Amino acid sequence: MKNVFRAEIYILRHDGLLWLVPVLYCAVGIYAGFYDHAVMDIYKGVELFSLTEILNLFFSFSVVLLTGYAIGGDFSRHTIRNVLSAGTDKKSYYYTRLLVQVLLTGALFAGTGLIHVVCHSLWPQGDADIRIAFLWQKLAIYMAMVLLQLLAQVSVVNAVCYFVRNQLVAIVSGIGIVYLEVIIRQTAEMNRMTSVQALADFLPTNVIRDMFAYAVYDRVFTGRFFLYGLSAVLIIAVSSAAGYVRFCYAGD
Amino acid sequence: MRLFVNELCKIKASKSVRWITIVFFCFAVLAGAVWKQSASPVAIYGFGAPFLWILGSGASGFFLYAAIVAGLFASEFESGVIHNVLDCGVKRSGYFIAKVAAIFGVTILIYLSSLGVLFLFKCRIAGFGPADLVFDDYGLKVLVFNGWAVCCLLSYVAVYIMIACLFREAVLTFIASLVVTLCELFNLFRGPVQIAINAVGFIENDRILTSEFAALFTPCVWILVISLIGAYMLFLVRDVD
């Protein structure tokens, strides 16, 4: 498992195109860090939560694109076939690959979040006097919840890669899934399909889009907020299991 | 002609084209369900479906046409199909024209069939529409509007073809095409999607058979021509290796 892990990190480090992604994420962090958000005149510190509100679809799209590119590329380049021919266990390969992608996503999001927070802290804006209580604790939980939603999307696209086994199709499917999540909720809202809307509210893309309201109305330490985390964990578990079964038990 | 028939056979056998067509059909049904709640009679009744599909597919599906271009055009550079075909003595210009004609053909086919699905779905759930609301010269207006809508769509596909000739890799083509489409959706420049959105005003005021409406799509014609020329130059001049 250690060897596969090191090999995958090596592949990602030496892929020239992938180095554009951290640069893009840094630019996004700086842009969001200097964004003049209206809430800065209401509560002091709320702007630190605004990263996902300013660029909510960017994170969803970029994560699925990156995952589809990285993991789907292993199928298109036949890397998986070579690794498995060397005697690597399928189970350890599957989970190591997923772990590498999870760490990459986590590192990118953490880096962007840090840049965003540093920019706002060093160049404070807004005229608010009221400060949020337990700001840093709430911010940590809020960012962890957003990351969990992104990891749910990584897990889903990872599973999709093992079904489609083609880099381009994996990327298109990932983008399509994100798009579908938004459209399903919009359709359910407009047609007053309450049960479908209730389910769609827990889809990762919709959760990320709605999260900022929890920060603005100080509802981070509430049951529903933690339910979002639970739904993300469930999605990760189900999609990982589906991808694992497909990869390990479906023949070639 | 033989090249064109070969391209059509490839498209017919392509799983991705089939799946993308199914996705567009699903988008059409979803769009029909969403628009059911609209206040405008054009959006509610079936008679409006031919005028609104370009808007629905523009917002949701232009990048899917990029997937078709990436899969049918750019991936052939990677897999060596183009190398084999050109080695057999086929002229580059002939191959390019056959390729573009096939991609344009499948794009128009997907657009029209999805439009048909939307039309049938809307008629099923809300009916064709009251006679006093349906436009005069309805058939002619449908023809003219969709002629311009297809031009709008093909202009974007031509841009994707130019990107495919530039990058010659399926994934890079798709990502670059997606970025271009999203830049336009986020109003960084005015392109075919914005033009399709502006066309809605002409539909609601029943001004489709006017010169202003035709002038709206002039930039699409220019984009189509310039992109095709650019793609042709890239395909002709650059070495395949």
Side-chain angles (χ1 to χ4, degrees):
Chain A
M1 190 160 170
K2 220 178 1 175
N3 287 337
V4 175
F5 184 85
R6 275 200 224 124
E8 293 301 332
I9 295 285
Y10 180 90
I11 293 170
L12 289 176
R13 254 198 0 244
H14 287 81
D15 190 325
L17 194 63
L18 280 181
W19 278 104
L20 284 175
V21 179
V23 171
L24 184 64
Y25 268 65
C26 288
V28 158
I30 293 169
Y31 169 76
F34 289 103
Y35 189 83
D36 190 12
H37 206 291
V39 293
M40 290 191 287
D41 292 329
I42 304 170
Y43 290 116
K44 214 172 192 169
V46 162
E47 69 275 9
L48 298 179
F49 296 81
S50 64
L51 177 65
T52 54
E53 202 264 344
I54 296 165
L55 295 154
N56 49 55
L57 285 177
F58 165 78
F59 287 106
S60 296
F61 276 126
S62 62
V63 157
V64 300
L65 222 139
L66 186 63
T67 308
Y69 178 84
I71 299 179
D74 286 346
F75 282 98
S76 293
R77 287 187 300 263
H78 306 297
T79 311
I80 288 181
R81 212 177 277 179
N82 292 341
V83 170
L84 295 179
S85 303
T88 308
D89 179 33
K90 277 189 176 183
K91 179 178 156 189
S92 70
Y93 179 82
Y94 180 85
Y95 285 111
T96 309
R97 197 66 194 83
L98 183 58
L99 179 67
V100 167
Q101 204 57 35
V102 160
L103 290 175
L104 177 66
T105 306
L108 286 169
F109 183 70
T112 308
L114 198 66
I115 291 171
H116 176 249
V117 166
V118 164
C119 287
H120 273 299
S121 301
L122 292 179
W123 291 276
Q125 292 161 285
D127 298 322
D129 293 320
I130 308 165
R131 197 173 174 83
I132 296 172
F134 303 108
L135 173 65
W136 297 108
Q137 291 90 327
K138 282 176 184 166
L139 185 63
I141 289 173
Y142 179 88
M143 288 301 195
M145 207 58 77
V146 173
L147 181 60
L148 212 51
Q149 306 304 321
L150 293 177
L151 295 183
Q153 288 178 320
V154 166
S155 183
V156 167
V157 176
N158 176 63
V160 165
C161 288
Y162 289 94
F163 280 90
V164 301
R165 300 182 175 199
N166 180 285
Q167 191 181 31
L168 178 66
V169 177
I171 291 173
V172 174
S173 305
I175 302 269
I177 288 169
V178 171
Y179 209 83
L180 209 61
E181 288 178 24
V182 174
I183 290 179
I184 286 173
R185 189 165 80 163
Q186 190 184 14
T187 309
E189 257 175 33
M190 293 184 85
N191 287 282
R192 296 184 196 96
M193 296 155 73
T194 45
S195 50
V196 175
Q197 191 183 341
L199 273 172
D201 283 343
F202 285 92
L203 295 172
T205 308
N206 297 325
V207 169
I208 292 171
R209 295 176 82 204
D210 290 344
M211 263 194 171
F212 186 59
Y214 283 80
V216 170
Y217 296 109
D218 199 12
R219 288 166 55 205
V220 173
F221 288 145
T222 57
R224 187 165 169 97
F225 193 77
F226 287 107
L227 267 180
Y228 287 148
L230 200 65
S231 70
V233 169
L234 202 66
I235 291 170
I236 290 170
V238 169
S239 54
S240 299
Y244 172 76
V245 165
R246 172 68 181 153
F247 183 53
C248 296
Y249 297 106
D252 190 24
Chain B
M1 191 63 192
R2 201 179 64 229
L3 286 171
F4 181 68
V5 169
N6 283 346
E7 293 303 320
L8 291 179
C9 290
K10 274 191 239 171
I11 287 168
K12 195 177 155 203
S14 169
K15 270 193 216 166
S16 50
V17 171
R18 231 172 282 162
W19 276 106
I20 286 172
T21 309
I22 292 169
V23 167
F24 268 114
F25 287 174
C26 295
F27 273 156
V29 169
L30 269 173
V34 166
W35 288 333
K36 193 173 73 167
Q37 302 300 326
S38 172
S40 166
V42 177
I44 295 171
Y45 295 107
F47 78 90
F51 303 103
L52 291 180
W53 176 233
I54 185 66
L55 202 64
S57 68
S60 59
F62 270 21
F63 67 86
L64 289 176
Y65 294 112
I68 293 175
V69 171
L72 293 179
F73 206 117
S75 67
E76 291 199 349
F77 284 100
E78 288 177 295
S79 57
V81 168
I82 285 183
H83 301 69
N84 289 340
V85 169
L86 296 178
D87 283 344
C88 290
V90 171
K91 278 174 109 174
R92 285 198 187 207
S93 53
Y95 188 72
F96 179 82
I97 290 166
K99 212 82 189 122
V100 167
I103 290 173
F104 277 8
V106 80
T107 302
I108 293 170
L109 194 65
I110 291 175
Y111 172 78
L112 291 176
S113 52
S114 318
L115 194 149
V117 166
L118 176 65
F119 176 75
L120 289 170
F121 182 73
K122 293 295 279 179
C123 287
R124 180 87 174 82
I125 60 170
F128 183 72
D132 55 333
L133 287 177
V134 176
F135 303 134
D136 300 327
D137 299 322
Y138 177 72
L140 181 63
K141 284 173 183 166
V142 166
L143 208 62
V144 167
F145 183 87
N146 283 289
W148 284 117
V150 162
C151 174
C152 187
L153 186 58
L154 293 183
S155 66
Y156 241 130
V157 172
V159 171
Y160 299 152
I161 290 173
M162 189 173 72
I163 293 171
C165 289
L166 183 66
F167 288 113
R168 299 183 166 193
E169 276 186 42
V171 170
L172 275 180
T173 299
F174 179 73
I175 292 173
S177 305
L178 186 66
V179 167
V180 166
T181 314
L182 286 175
C183 284
E184 205 219 330
L185 276 177
F186 289 118
N187 296 321
L188 293 179
F189 66 90
R190 191 166 178 270
V193 175
Q194 299 290 339
I195 290 168
I197 292 168
N198 290 342
V200 174
F202 287 83
I203 300 162
E204 286 171 351
N205 297 326
D206 193 11
R207 287 170 52 218
I208 295 165
L209 298 178
T210 60
S211 54
E212 289 91 8
F213 182 74
L216 196 66
F217 291 93
T218 308
C220 291
V221 176
W222 282 112
I223 292 169
L224 177 68
V225 168
I226 291 169
S227 302
L228 279 180
I229 291 171
Y232 182 64
M233 296 306 296
L234 282 167
F235 188 78
L236 214 60
V237 167
R238 280 178 73 189
D239 195 5
V240 283
D241 282 323

